[in-house]
Amino acid sequence: MEQNLRALTFLLRAAKSVEKVLKEDIARYSLNQAEFGVLEYLYHKGSQPMANLSKKLLMANSSMTYIVDKLVSVGLVERIENQEDKRSHYVKLTKTGEEYIKNIFPSHEEKIDAIFSSLTMEEVKVLADLLKKTGLHAEELVKKD
């Protein structure tokens, strides 16, 4: 029991520290975390349905609409009507948006590498596997309640 509490404390402190580093890094690009998340996801996955963005980035649909509206207004993304379902839209990077994220992402990736630089690649793999296992199990506990 005591080890579980200790592990949870370390997990939460580590997450807070990592989030602070990433938040500061993202702010250098005049973006907030949600805006950066949308640009990064579209950069790596291509155009996406609006609902998929909300789900993958763990945001309410109304919040995602606000973020996409903001990114549309500065010309980084555009909405495309879904031809199969006129009620929904796809979101995709504009050429400007693609160039922008393409230019800033390598620097962000270096910051991520720096965060994990105290670990070996094997330790990073083990950490990722254990965090995934813990997260999936926690999700199952929520479903049972």
Side-chain angles (χ1 to χ4, degrees):
M1 190 72 103
E2 187 177 321
Q3 285 296 355
N4 290 342
L5 184 56
R6 186 171 183 257
L8 179 63
T9 300
F10 288 146
L11 172 65
L12 295 176
R13 284 182 182 161
K16 192 171 189 172
S17 296
V18 168
E19 184 177 20
K20 182 179 179 188
V21 169
L22 295 177
K23 194 175 191 177
E24 288 175 4
D25 182 61
I26 290 167
R28 295 183 321 147
Y29 312 117
S30 300
L31 297 168
N32 65 37
Q33 289 174 290
E35 294 162 346
F36 185 87
V38 169
L39 295 176
E40 186 272 333
Y41 193 75
L42 294 174
Y43 179 62
H44 287 101
K45 302 292 185 179
S47 66
Q48 295 290 314
M50 188 81 139
N52 194 42
L53 281 176
S54 296
K55 181 181 174 188
K56 293 295 183 179
L57 298 175
L58 307 175
M59 297 178 78
N61 288 338
S62 58
S63 297
M64 184 56 64
T65 298
Y66 174 78
I67 301 240
V68 169
D69 285 347
K70 192 171 173 189
L71 293 170
V72 166
S73 73
V74 295
L76 297 176
V77 302
E78 62 184 326
R79 281 192 182 87
I80 300 170
E81 190 176 88
N82 182 347
Q83 297 302 315
E84 296 170 15
D85 182 357
K86 302 288 185 194
R87 297 169 296 167
S88 67
H89 291 84
Y90 280 83
V91 179
K92 75 174 260 187
L93 291 171
T94 61
K95 290 210 182 292
T96 301
E98 189 170 343
E99 281 301 310
Y100 185 68
I101 192 70
K102 188 167 127 182
N103 287 328
I104 66 173
F105 191 76
S107 174
H108 183 68
E109 201 167 30
E110 286 175 12
K111 186 60 76 172
I112 294 168
D113 291 345
I115 290 169
F116 291 101
S117 65
S118 66
L119 303 175
T120 66
M121 290 312 292
E122 181 59 29
E123 288 171 327
V124 171
K125 182 188 178 323
V126 169
L127 175 63
D129 291 344
L130 292 173
L131 290 172
K132 181 177 181 180
K133 183 177 180 180
T134 302
L136 290 172
H137 182 67
E139 286 177 16
E140 287 300 317
L141 292 174
V142 169
K143 289 178 186 174
K144 289 180 182 177
D145 287 344

